[in-house]
Amino acid sequence: MRATPTTGLTINAPPRLLTMLNKTLIAWSVGAALCALIPTHAQASGNASFVLTATASPSTCNVTLTDGIANLGSLSIATVKTYPITAGAYTFPPITVPINIFCSAAANVAVSFVDNLSGKRLALGSNDAVRYGMVDGTGTTAIGQYGVVFTSTTTIDSVAVGQYLSAPNGTTTIWSSTSYNGLPASMAGPGLTIGFSKTAAAITPDAFTTLSGGLIFYPFISSAYIGAATGAVYPRGSGTLTLVYL
Amino acid sequence: MKATMANKIHTAALTALVYLLASGQAGAACNAVFSAATVQLGQLSAASLKAANVAGYRSMGSKGQVLNVTCDVPQTTFRLQFDGLTPVAGQPLLRWGAVGAMQMRAIGASAAGLPVPMRLEGAAASPYTGSVLLTQNDVLNLDLSHVPLPSRKSFTLELELTGLLPSSYVVRSEVKFDSNIAVQLLGQP
């Protein structure tokens, strides 16, 4: 019995061996066919995964209000009585407190103002809304009010602020160039967030790295209260200033 | 004697066949590993982010990632699919965490150390090219036509990942961005 080699190879072997070789060749052929088919049918299985992460935070900004106190000093009642009276209140000399903001990178930040004694503002006139409450030494009796305004020399990144902008606290999408009663937005009224721009007539605040300037405090104390005083008086106000990332 | 020899040859042949079949079964598996389990774009200050090359976004940086795949047996094709990706409507981007977006681009592929072009299949089908932007759960196919079949056992895919933050999004406090990106090796279509 002779078999024809399927590979075309010349097989030089006795018939019996050739028979076996022929089977072998067939087997190899099948094996080779399987070998070729294996990758074709193999479903390349496997999977892998990874995580893409990051963290974003506002720039680190710090605000400092030198000492955090606008100290009226120790004044005699007689001296106070020499101050001009406006709308039933003595107008004290203004006190300027330096304010500085420093950010690790240019940041669009503003400053919100809150009156911690909002229920203790003695009504004096049309500008009450832009002012803060003031109490006596007991901490309970409203005896006056005070206004807060940025100095005209305040700068951002060494450029004079050309436009102050205000928005109600918590709503910093619509900015106004005015504070309450049409007063300039540099009047930092309670409940307002104040932004800064280098450009006059700007409608949105600028980003900056440093702000350098001052807050001027204008105290007004009831003339009736001063007039009735029989001893030392200890007027006191309190507010909170917070950086707001825009 | 001759019969014994033939039996030995037969036995060897069958053994080889069995081995091939066995290795064929084992060869169905490929091992896929990313070069890094976590790609960290870092802790970024939102104020310092620059405009991205995608309108309306700020760039949170780019990093590379490499997928290495080794298979026990040569592969006639090399296809893979990304899973769990959510496209951003109207943009060639993918969602990244709750507020971010990412751009994922395949920037290079190789088979047995030879650079090969790639293309997308399906709705986003493209011709073979050296760089492909992935915008959904795309199937990516490598062109192996110039790679000898016996060599098609190792593959790499280089990815470029770019994190994006919408310009309109205000970072008021620390925001974490986190997405799991999975890839699955596929067989023939």
Side-chain angles (χ1 to χ4, degrees):
Chain A
M1 183 173 74
R2 293 184 68 88
T4 303
T6 56
T7 59
L9 293 173
T10 301
I11 303 297
N12 186 10
R16 181 177 172 82
L17 179 56
L18 189 57
T19 300
M20 298 307 292
L21 278 172
N22 193 36
K23 288 180 183 174
T24 303
L25 283 170
I26 292 168
W28 272 108
S29 177
V30 172
L34 280 174
C35 185
L37 288 171
I38 285 164
T40 304
H41 289 293
Q43 298 294 299
S45 62
N47 50 63
S49 65
F50 67 96
V51 178
L52 179 66
T53 69
T55 305
S57 55
S59 290
T60 304
C61 295
N62 289 309
V63 59
T64 57
L65 199 60
T66 303
D67 295 333
I69 296 174
N71 190 350
L72 299 177
S74 178
L75 303 166
S76 70
I77 294 294
T79 299
V80 172
K81 286 181 176 177
T82 66
Y83 296 159
I85 295 177
T86 304
Y90 287 108
T91 305
F92 281 59
I95 299 156
T96 300
V97 175
I99 180 173
N100 291 282
I101 298 172
F102 178 77
C103 300
S104 56
N108 208 331
V109 294
V111 182
S112 72
F113 291 82
V114 171
D115 184 3
N116 298 334
L117 297 172
S118 59
K120 300 296 182 182
R121 183 177 57 207
L122 184 68
L124 292 176
S126 58
N127 289 329
D128 288 352
V130 81
R131 293 178 181 156
Y132 296 72
M134 184 181 285
V135 293
D136 66 359
T138 66
T140 56
T141 305
I143 63 169
Q145 54 185 226
Y146 61 96
V148 181
V149 60
F150 280 91
T151 64
S152 60
T153 56
T154 298
T155 62
I156 52 173
D157 292 339
S158 303
V159 176
V161 175
Q163 180 68 66
Y164 290 89
L165 295 155
S166 77
N169 286 348
T171 59
T172 53
T173 53
I174 299 175
W175 294 92
S176 170
S177 61
T178 60
S179 180
Y180 301 115
N181 295 341
L183 295 166
S186 57
M187 293 287 296
L192 294 180
T193 296
I194 308 298
F196 315 89
S197 174
K198 297 171 187 169
T199 309
I203 58 173
T204 55
D206 290 343
F208 61 87
T209 302
T210 61
L211 178 145
S212 178
L215 288 174
I216 308 172
F217 292 80
Y218 291 95
F220 303 89
I221 298 178
S222 162
S223 56
Y225 176 77
I226 295 294
T230 56
V233 298
Y234 301 94
R236 185 173 63 84
S238 174
T240 300
L241 182 152
T242 305
L243 279 177
V244 177
Y245 293 92
L246 306 177
Chain B
M1 179 68 179
K2 285 176 185 170
T4 303
M5 215 175 133
N7 283 340
K8 280 184 180 174
I9 292 171
H10 192 190
T11 303
L14 291 176
T15 302
L17 175 59
V18 169
Y19 171 77
L20 273 179
L21 290 170
S23 65
Q25 289 298 318
C30 294
N31 185 37
V33 179
F34 278 108
S35 57
T38 301
V39 177
Q40 173 63 262
L41 294 182
Q43 186 140 11
L44 307 163
S45 164
S48 65
L49 300 180
K50 308 294 185 195
N53 58 5
V54 180
Y57 287 88
R58 288 169 283 172
S59 174
M60 298 180 70
S62 297
K63 279 201 173 174
Q65 172 70 295
V66 178
L67 175 68
N68 293 298
V69 179
T70 55
C71 301
D72 293 339
V73 296
Q75 304 291 304
T76 52
T77 61
F78 186 79
R79 302 165 65 238
L80 52 83
Q81 182 169 25
F82 287 89
D83 293 327
L85 304 178
T86 305
V88 175
Q91 297 268 24
L93 305 173
L94 301 161
R95 292 203 181 282
W96 182 33
V99 299
M102 65 174 163
Q103 196 170 56
M104 185 160 71
R105 184 181 290 276
I107 58 172
S110 71
L114 299 172
V116 293
M118 56 198 141
R119 72 179 181 88
L120 294 177
E121 296 180 358
S126 62
Y128 282 113
T129 180
S131 173
V132 171
L133 192 60
L134 300 159
T135 58
Q136 51 190 313
N137 296 323
D138 294 317
V139 174
L140 196 64
N141 188 339
L142 305 192
D143 178 8
L144 305 180
S145 59
H146 298 292
V147 181
L149 177 61
S151 304
R152 300 177 189 172
K153 295 168 71 175
S154 65
F155 307 89
T156 63
L157 180 68
E158 293 176 64
L159 299 173
E160 181 186 66
L161 306 153
T162 301
L164 299 164
L165 181 67
S167 301
S168 58
Y169 184 79
V170 178
V171 179
R172 299 188 189 283
S173 58
E174 190 173 85
V175 182
K176 292 187 186 302
F177 299 83
D178 196 318
S179 277
N180 187 69
I181 299 159
V183 70
Q184 181 181 359
L185 305 184
L186 304 175
Q188 285 200 341

